[in-house]
């Protein structure tokens, strides 16, 4: 480096020497980009700590000579970073690294749920992502990008593209028996956003509590609580929600999974569905129906959605998370007319609408019959896996009862007491690297109602099978049996 005839202070010399090599590539950048490259290199040297606060930089003349660039380019870089706060300049005293930067080393963390590293994983909630129809989805994307008008790429209707809302209304009417006016359909980022969206609207209306099934999906309570609502656990019996407890609770909003209750696996009886709607009408209340896997019934045609019986007292929500992939973040919310305008306005303030291209792709996917084909493909695969699970349990855990309807992506298995006690069983399987959940892990209260293990040693497991191949299901149940025998 060119000498100025004076020796820099030792700390400055060490600090500058550490950052010198970072600047060298900037000098070889194309002429038009050289100034930006030098600024970026200096900025990064300060951010990363190679140039620490208090380090004195060479004069613009010295640095220009060393790098073989014009002095004006270096002067401009110094001035720009001084204006931004990375450097400071004292008239007649040179340029120094400022003390304003407190940036950590850049690191993009991935907080997405990941494989738990188990030898066998039966935790429910995940579909088989390898079944995602890549070729058909890609074809739909190409078609959409070729035909999508330019003006459609502006800010969308917060409810969603009319094309998609129309396609969804037809699909849900045909497959799930809902009453679906496209004007009352909102495209959302999955059931989670639908839940939060409703929670905010209800809270703004003065609602302060919402009832949730117990046992039930942990996300329901968490999401409504995030909107400021108290969560009231409501027990189940063999037909659905316990209506006596519901009436006594005083809540006017209740969240249900009537077509295939999670996690118990029951379907609400026709009588209980009618009683639930009678309650909603009597208290001028709202039933929120989470139809998370209503298309997956293996022993008969799926029971139609509750919303079809009374669309003015039921809000209906679902998504493509189980049929396509949760990473698409696409779902729908159908609301009563009395809530429609408030839901639309809240959706507008939340995100200004979902991505236009993704909506158009899903619309085309539905319109061309690809979505129906995907459902048939998944239903065949998941039925085989459920049958494999039932057979493996019968072989390795004789006397096991699989309860709930033949539907969805999980099953309830009640293992005989001789394999217990439950705590010992769960400890043994965990030690063997087997990820499995008990039914009680989804229970909010420890009262002795449907599905708890209170007072006996029966082991009730919630076994997810959709994401596990038949071969791995058999191997996993075999490992589970060995784990319980060895302990």
């Amino acid at each position: 480096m060119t000498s100025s005839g004076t020796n820099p202070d030792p700390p400055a010399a060490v600090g500058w020497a550490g950052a010198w090599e970072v600047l060298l590539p900037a000098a070889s950048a194309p002429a038009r980009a050289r100034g930006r490259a030098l600024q970026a290199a200096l900025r990064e040297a300060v951010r990363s700590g190679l140039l620490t606060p208090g380090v004195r930089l060479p004069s613009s003349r010295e640095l220009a000579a060393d790098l073989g660039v014009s002095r004006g380019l270096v002067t401009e870089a110094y001035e720009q970073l001084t204006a931004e706060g990375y450097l400071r300049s004292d008239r007649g005293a040179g340029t120094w690294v400022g003390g304003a930067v407190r940036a950590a080393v850049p690191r993009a963390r991935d907080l997405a749920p990941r494989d738990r590293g188990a030898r066998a994983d039966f935790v429910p909630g995940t579909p088989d992502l390898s079944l995602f129809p890549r070729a058909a989805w890609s074809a739909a994307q190409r078609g959409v990008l070729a035909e999508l008008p330019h003006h459609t790429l502006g800010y969308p209707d917060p409810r969603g593209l009319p094309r998609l809302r129309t396609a969804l209304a037809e699909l849900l009417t045909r497959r799930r028996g809902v009453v679906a006016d496209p004007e009352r359909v909102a495209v959302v980022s999955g059931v989670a956003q639908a839940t939060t969206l409703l929670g905010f609207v209800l809270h703004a209306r003065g609602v302060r509590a919402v009832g949730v099934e117990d046992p039930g999906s942990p996300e329901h309570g968490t999401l409504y609580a995030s909107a400021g609502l108290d969560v009231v656990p409501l027990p189940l019996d063999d037909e659905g929600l316990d209506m006596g407890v519901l009436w006594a609770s005083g809540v006017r909003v209740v969240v249900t999974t009537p077509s295939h209750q999670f996690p118990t696996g029951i379907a609400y009886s026709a009588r209980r569905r009618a009683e639930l709607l009678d309650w909603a009408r009597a208290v001028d209340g709202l039933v929120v129906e989470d139809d998370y896997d209503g298309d997956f019934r293996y022993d008969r045609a799926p029971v139609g959605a509750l919303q079809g019986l009374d669309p003015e007292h039921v809000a209906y929500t679902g998504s493509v998370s189980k049929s396509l992939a949760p990473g698409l973040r696409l779902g729908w919310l159908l609301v009563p007319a009395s809530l429609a305008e408030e839901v639309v306005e809240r959706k507008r303030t939340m995100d200004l609408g979902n991505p236009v291209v993704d909506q158009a792709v899903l619309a085309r996917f539905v319109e061309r019959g690809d979505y129906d084909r995907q459902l048939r493909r998944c239903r065949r695969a998941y039925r085989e896996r459920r049958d494999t699970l039932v057979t493996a349990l019968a072989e390795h855990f004789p006397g096991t009862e699989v309860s709930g309807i033949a539907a969805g992506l999980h099953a309830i298995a009640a293992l005989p007491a001789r394999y217990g006690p439950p705590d010992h069983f769960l400890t043994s399987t965990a030690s063997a690297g087997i990820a499995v959940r008990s039914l009680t892990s989804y229970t909010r209260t420890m009262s002795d109602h449907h599905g708890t293990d209170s007072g006996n040693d029966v082991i009730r497991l919630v076994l997810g099978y959709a994401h596990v191949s038949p071969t791995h299901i058999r191997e996993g149940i075999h490992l589970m049996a060995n784990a319980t025998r060895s302990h």
Side-chain angles (χ1 to χ4, degrees), residues 2 234 335 356 388 471:
T2 302
L234 301 171
V335 295
V356 168
T388 300
T471 299

Side-chain angles (χ1 to χ4, degrees), residues 88-106:
R88 61 180 177 84
S89 180
D90 297 330
R91 186 176 297 277
T95 302
W96 307 74
V97 177
V101 177
R102 292 293 184 274
V105 176

Side-chain angles (χ1 to χ4, degrees), residues 232-418:
V232 180
L234 301 171
L236 306 166
D237 59 27
D238 290 333
E239 295 187 73
L241 275 175
D242 185 317
M243 294 306 299
V245 178
L246 175 59
W247 279 100
S249 69
V251 300
R252 292 176 55 207
V253 179
V254 64
V255 188
T256 64
T257 52
S259 294
H260 185 218
Q261 202 278 331
F262 184 87
T264 65
I266 66 171
Y268 280 33
S269 68
R271 182 180 73 165
R272 188 55 47 84
R273 287 156 65 98
E275 290 173 343
L276 186 58
L277 292 176
D278 287 342
W279 165 84
R281 294 163 188 149
V283 302
D284 191 23
L286 179 70
V287 178
V288 181
E289 180 179 12
D290 179 358
D291 197 24
Y292 70 100
D293 66 356
D295 277 302
F296 297 112
R297 184 77 186 253
Y298 311 125
D299 58 347
R300 50 161 291 174
V303 175
L306 185 68
Q307 188 264 3
L309 299 174
D310 192 342
E312 297 309 318
H313 286 95
V314 180
Y316 174 89
T317 186
S319 75
V320 301
S321 293
K322 302 296 186 287
S323 53
L324 289 172
L328 293 178
R329 307 314 304 137
L330 284 168
W332 44 84
L333 171 63
L334 281 69
V335 295
S338 59
L339 290 173
E341 289 187 10
E342 294 160 81
V343 166
V344 172
E345 185 54 33
R346 173 60 72 167
K347 182 69 165 66
R348 186 194 310 277
T349 59
M350 287 181 78
D351 58 18
L352 296 179
N354 286 61
V356 168
V357 174
D358 294 344
Q359 291 187 65
V361 172
L362 180 58
R364 184 183 176 94
F365 202 75
V366 171
E367 293 163 353
R368 295 171 65 87
D370 292 320
Y371 190 72
D372 288 288
R373 283 187 284 275
Q374 173 69 6
L375 288 174
R376 290 193 294 271
R377 181 188 183 200
C378 291
R379 193 160 52 236
R380 287 193 299 269
Y382 297 159
R383 178 175 184 170
E384 177 190 6
R385 294 172 194 200
R386 188 181 191 277
D387 291 346
T388 300
L389 176 67
V390 172
T391 300
L393 287 169
E395 177 184 352
H396 294 287
F397 294 95
T400 293
E401 294 182 5
V402 177
S403 61
I405 61 175
L409 282 66
H410 76 280
I412 302 297
L415 277 59
R418 64 178 177 273

Side-chain angles (χ1 to χ4, degrees), residues 140-150 152 163 360 364 367:
Q141 282 183 319
R142 291 193 300 271
V144 161
L145 291 174
E147 68 188 17
L148 200 64
H150 297 313
T152 313
R163 177 183 178 183
R364 184 183 176 94
E367 293 163 353

Side-chain angles (χ1 to χ4, degrees), residues 27-319:
S28 58
R32 291 187 177 182
R34 200 168 295 156
R36 290 192 301 274
L38 178 59
Q39 292 175 29
L42 278 170
R43 194 179 289 115
E44 182 58 28
V46 176
R47 284 175 177 164
S48 65
L50 286 176
L51 287 176
T52 57
V55 168
R56 183 176 180 178
L57 274 62
S59 69
S60 58
R61 186 187 303 276
E62 291 176 320
L63 184 55
D66 289 336
L67 293 177
V69 299
S70 70
R71 182 182 180 187
L73 187 146
V74 175
T75 300
E76 183 179 358
Y78 279 5
E79 290 176 348
Q80 179 64 31
L81 269 68
T82 299
E84 293 176 3
Y86 290 92
L87 306 178
R88 61 180 177 84
S89 180
D90 297 330
R91 186 176 297 277
T95 302
W96 307 74
V97 177
V101 177
R102 292 293 184 274
V105 176
R107 183 165 64 97
R109 295 186 299 156
D110 187 352
L111 300 181
R114 284 289 174 261
D115 186 337
R116 286 164 281 271
R119 297 173 66 192
D121 187 351
F122 292 105
V123 175
T126 306
D128 185 349
L129 300 179
S130 71
L131 294 180
F132 183 76
R134 292 175 182 264
W137 192 261
S138 178
Q141 282 183 319
R142 291 193 300 271
V144 161
L145 291 174
E147 68 188 17
L148 200 64
H150 297 313
H151 68 83
T152 313
L153 296 173
Y155 288 109
D157 183 326
R159 296 172 297 179
L161 292 183
R163 177 183 178 183
L164 177 55
R165 289 187 284 117
T166 300
L168 289 174
E170 188 279 329
L171 174 77
L172 297 172
T173 299
R174 172 169 52 85
R175 297 198 66 97
R176 302 298 299 124
V178 303
V179 177
D181 179 351
E183 290 298 290
R184 285 158 58 177
V185 175
V187 177
V188 292
S189 299
V191 173
Q193 188 184 43
T195 300
T196 307
L197 180 60
L198 273 176
F200 282 126
V201 169
L202 293 170
H203 188 275
R205 283 191 159 209
V207 174
R208 291 297 178 265
V210 59
V212 297
E213 296 169 327
D214 186 24
S217 170
E219 293 302 317
H220 287 155
T222 302
L223 293 168
Y224 279 107
S226 72
L229 299 177
D230 294 329
V231 177
V232 180
L234 301 171
L236 306 166
D237 59 27
D238 290 333
E239 295 187 73
L241 275 175
D242 185 317
M243 294 306 299
V245 178
L246 175 59
W247 279 100
S249 69
V251 300
R252 292 176 55 207
V253 179
V254 64
V255 188
T256 64
T257 52
S259 294
H260 185 218
Q261 202 278 331
F262 184 87
T264 65
I266 66 171
Y268 280 33
S269 68
R271 182 180 73 165
R272 188 55 47 84
R273 287 156 65 98
E275 290 173 343
L276 186 58
L277 292 176
D278 287 342
W279 165 84
R281 294 163 188 149
V283 302
D284 191 23
L286 179 70
V287 178
V288 181
E289 180 179 12
D290 179 358
D291 197 24
Y292 70 100
D293 66 356
D295 277 302
F296 297 112
R297 184 77 186 253
Y298 311 125
D299 58 347
R300 50 161 291 174
V303 175
L306 185 68
Q307 188 264 3
L309 299 174
D310 192 342
E312 297 309 318
H313 286 95
V314 180
Y316 174 89
T317 186
S319 75

